[in-house]
């Protein structure tokens, strides 16, 4: 009796959860295939540097400390760089709270927003400019400190649009017509990215958690039910291994064959939203970054000595264990680090970042491994991995050339790598590095998932019509 009751509830649960979430499942699977080949618009470091103008060194009259003091920003900033803005050199200052302030390197004056005419000037007469505060491509919170934007349409064959921060004057994003078109079929439905919803971070997060959680329950119930009702050794009276006919028969067979992969996709997608904050973020907390940098050191005009070379488009001022480090870059991404921090300083800075723990080991990675690898992006190599003996088993990844603290990865983050990235994106080195084998597997599994979801949508629609007495 209990078995019969359980089967009945499984059938009802799978049916109505499938009706409620079937379209979402179908959209996720199909849009996921698009995302294999068209990423969400982003500005790479190489693209960002290529958009910067060479620094006019003869107009850099003030050192960082003096310029910040004149602007009333004497407190140590969260970030500091020198670049050009509307034809003049400026220090781009980031406060601890994340606010951005451009300060003239000539006068020390805090500068206001740029108007459309100043933004259009470098791009020629064919460019058009419109004002945007938030749109589908700049909906993420990380753009908040640099809003609003002037969107410059270049009028080229690719339909390129550049997002220029009115506050900093820097290009923060570029998109092309192809990216915009395909992302309406890819990332936007896959990530639930309609702008009004995504702009409300907690509402968006809760919505995705609930919908993907219900979908996970529906797929799990269907997989259990599908295996339960499959008869391989003792076929049904009709001689078939399934009691269903027509489209329901295909839904049952496809679900039994591909249900586990569909379950892994949707469940790992649910886990990607970090339910109950189970997983620690990889971005180091501000306090850890400040401890790693060490006590602030003065930065006078002499900090630019040796860097005033033709072609340099940006200088970033950082610290490692209290030691000033200056990183100059040209438009091709070539870097000049002065002075390069020694490994002893990197170890000391890492120890400062996590003072309650001891360093358990240090290794230099020269090739990707299971936790430091590229996937439609780039990873700094070589990289220094510093392992600690704290309860969270924290690892820090550090750029040995610049001393930059790249990320923090603890035991929960390593677990998320196997619970989310591995099943959701099939991030297995033996597979991803053997393309097109990875593509073939992804198409096969997503094809099965699409068949399950779309057949379920049709069956659900038929059920609703019968229940409502339509047709």
């Amino acid at each position: 009796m209990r078995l019969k009751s359980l089967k009945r509830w499984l059938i009802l649960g799978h049916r109505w959860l499938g009706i409620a979430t079937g379209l979402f499942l179908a959209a996720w699977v199909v849009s996921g295939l698009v995302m294999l080949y068209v990423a969400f618009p982003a500005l790479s470091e190489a693209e960002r540097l290529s958009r910067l103008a060479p620094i006019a060194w003869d107009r850099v009259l003030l050192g960082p400390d003096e310029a910040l003091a004149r602007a009333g920003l004497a407190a140590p900033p969260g970030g500091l760089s020198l670049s050009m803005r509307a034809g003049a050199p400026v220090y781009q200052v980031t406060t601890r709270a994340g606010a951005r302030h451009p300060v003239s390197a000539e006068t020390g004056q805090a500068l206001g927003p740029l108007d459309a005419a100043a933004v259009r000037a470098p791009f020629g007469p064919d460019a058009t400019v419109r004002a945007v505060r938030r749109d589908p491509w700049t909906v993420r919170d990380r753009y908040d400190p640099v809003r609003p934007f002037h969107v410059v349409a270049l009028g080229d064959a690719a339909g390129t649009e550049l997002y220029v921060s009115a506050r900093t004057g820097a290009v923060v994003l570029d998109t092309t017509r192809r990216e915009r078109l395909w992302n309406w079929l890819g990332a936007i439905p896959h990530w639930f990215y309609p702008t009004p919803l995504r702009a409300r971070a907690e509402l968006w997060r809760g919505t995705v958690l609930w919908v993907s959680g219900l979908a996970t329950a529906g797929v799990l119930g269907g997989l259990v039910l599908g295996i339960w009702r499959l008869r391989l050794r003792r076929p049904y009276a009709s001689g078939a291994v399934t009691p269903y006919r027509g489209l329901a028969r295909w839904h049952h067979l496809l679900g039994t064959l591909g249900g586990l992969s569909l379950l892994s996709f949707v469940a790992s997608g649910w886990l990607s939203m970090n339910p109950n904050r189970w997983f620690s973020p990889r971005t180091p907390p501000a306090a850890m970054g400040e401890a790693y940098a060490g006590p602030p050191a003065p930065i006078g005009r002499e900090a630019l000595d040796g860097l005033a070379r033709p072609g340099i488009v940006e200088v970033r001022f950082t610290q490692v264990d209290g030691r000033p480090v200056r990183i100059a870059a040209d438009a091709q991404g070539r870097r000049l680090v002065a002075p390069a921090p020694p490994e002893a300083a990197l170890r000391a800075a890492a120890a400062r970042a996590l003072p309650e723990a001891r360093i358990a080991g240090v290794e230099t990675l020269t090739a990707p491994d299971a936790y430091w690898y590229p996937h439609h992006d780039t990873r700094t190599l070589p990289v220094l991995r510093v392992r600690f003996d704290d309860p969270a088993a924290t690892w820090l990844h550090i750029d040995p050339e610049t001393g930059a603290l790249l990320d923090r990865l603890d035991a929960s983050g390593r677990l998320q790598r196997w619970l989310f990235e591995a099943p959701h994106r099939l991030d297995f080195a033996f597979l991803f590095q053997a393309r097109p084998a990875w593509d073939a597997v992804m198409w096969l599994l997503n094809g099965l998932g699409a068949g399950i979801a779309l057949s379920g949508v049709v069956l659900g629609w038929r059920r609703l019509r019968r229940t409502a007495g339509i047709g």
Side-chain angles (χ1 to χ4, degrees):
M1 193 68 182
R2 288 182 181 178
L3 200 61
K4 186 175 181 180
S5 178
L6 175 61
K7 183 181 288 188
R8 178 175 177 273
W9 281 109
L10 270 176
I11 292 172
L12 290 174
H14 176 63
R15 175 184 299 159
W16 293 106
L17 286 174
I19 287 172
T21 63
L23 282 174
F24 294 112
L25 276 170
W28 281 330
V29 172
V30 176
S31 61
L33 286 172
V34 175
M35 291 178 67
L36 298 183
Y37 306 103
V38 184
F40 194 72
L43 189 73
S44 69
E45 180 68 2
E47 290 172 330
R48 186 185 71 84
L49 290 172
S50 71
R51 297 288 181 185
L52 296 177
I55 294 173
W57 292 106
D58 59 324
R59 297 177 61 182
V60 181
L61 305 181
L62 304 176
D65 280 351
E66 186 178 358
L68 268 60
R70 291 191 184 187
L73 295 168
L80 178 63
S81 65
L82 172 66
S83 58
M84 297 295 285
R85 175 187 189 260
V90 298
Y91 291 106
Q92 298 284 1
V93 183
T94 304
T95 67
R96 283 194 179 94
R100 304 291 181 88
H101 300 281
V103 176
S104 169
E106 297 178 281
T107 66
Q109 178 184 3
L111 303 174
L114 291 172
D115 60 23
V119 169
R120 181 188 295 110
F123 298 103
D126 293 334
T128 60
V129 180
R130 70 180 191 276
V132 166
R133 182 159 189 86
R134 189 188 303 268
D135 68 4
W137 321 119
T138 58
V139 71
R140 293 173 173 174
D141 298 348
R142 66 187 181 90
Y143 290 109
D144 288 350
V146 294
R147 301 184 196 278
F149 307 104
H150 294 294
V151 181
V152 182
L154 299 184
D156 59 356
T160 304
E161 294 186 348
L162 306 178
Y163 286 69
V164 180
S165 168
R167 180 178 293 275
T168 68
V171 176
V172 298
L173 178 68
D174 61 357
T175 70
T176 63
R177 186 182 301 107
R178 174 179 177 272
E179 287 177 328
R180 295 189 296 271
L181 171 64
W182 283 107
N183 269 278
W184 281 107
L185 303 174
I188 288 180
H190 196 83
W191 291 342
F192 273 31
Y193 257 32
T195 303
L197 176 62
R198 182 61 183 88
R200 296 162 175 81
E202 285 305 308
L203 175 61
W204 167 76
R205 181 174 180 274
T207 300
V208 177
L209 276 170
W210 273 102
V211 175
S212 58
L214 292 173
T216 299
V219 174
L220 177 60
L223 180 60
V224 172
L225 191 62
I227 295 172
W228 196 344
R229 306 215 69 184
L230 191 71
R231 291 186 182 178
L232 297 177
R233 294 184 178 179
R234 294 183 299 108
Y236 290 89
S238 64
V241 297
T242 172
Y244 303 106
R245 297 180 179 178
L247 186 61
R249 176 193 187 94
W250 282 105
H251 183 70
H252 181 201
L253 295 176
L254 287 173
T256 306
L257 181 62
L260 185 60
S261 67
L262 181 60
L263 177 64
S264 72
F265 283 146
V266 67
S268 58
W270 178 73
L271 286 170
S272 74
M273 299 305 298
N274 198 4
N276 205 35
R277 314 292 183 184
W278 288 329
F279 311 112
S280 300
R282 295 190 68 150
T283 302
M288 178 179 284
E290 290 180 11
Y292 179 86
I299 316 174
R301 180 64 178 79
E302 68 279 1
L304 298 174
D305 292 346
L307 301 177
R309 303 181 180 185
I312 296 296
V313 299
E314 180 183 65
V315 178
R316 288 189 291 119
F317 303 88
T318 65
Q319 284 193 179
V320 176
D321 192 36
R323 300 166 179 252
V325 178
R326 303 177 302 279
I327 306 163
D330 65 14
Q332 288 72 46
R334 294 184 292 256
R335 297 189 298 192
L336 172 63
V337 183
E343 185 171 323
L346 304 182
R347 289 173 180 250
R352 295 176 64 101
L354 213 65
E356 69 276 12
R358 293 184 306 170
I359 293 178
V362 179
E363 58 185 315
T364 299
L365 302 182
T366 58
D369 71 358
Y371 299 101
W372 190 261
Y373 61 93
H375 182 107
H376 300 307
D377 55 12
T378 58
R379 286 289 193 186
T380 298
L381 284 172
V383 69
L384 201 67
R385 175 178 292 161
V386 183
R387 294 180 282 108
F388 292 85
D389 66 356
D390 61 313
T394 302
W395 295 353
L396 297 182
H397 290 107
I398 299 170
D399 184 341
E401 181 186 8
T402 66
L405 179 57
L406 301 176
D407 84 347
R408 173 194 64 171
L409 184 62
D410 64 12
S412 72
R414 294 191 290 276
L415 177 62
Q416 188 186 34
R417 183 262 183 273
W418 297 112
L419 294 180
F420 163 56
E421 293 170 358
H424 201 76
R425 307 190 306 189
L426 297 188
D427 275 348
F428 302 102
F430 72 89
L431 186 60
F432 189 68
Q433 295 174 8
R435 301 185 71 172
W438 177 82
D439 302 74
V441 173
M442 290 295 282
W443 274 90
L444 173 63
L445 297 182
N446 278 273
L448 285 171
I452 297 167
L454 292 172
S455 60
V457 167
V458 174
L459 292 171
W461 171 244
R462 290 176 181 174
R463 168 64 63 172
L464 288 175
R465 290 184 63 188
R466 286 198 301 272
T467 301
I470 301 174

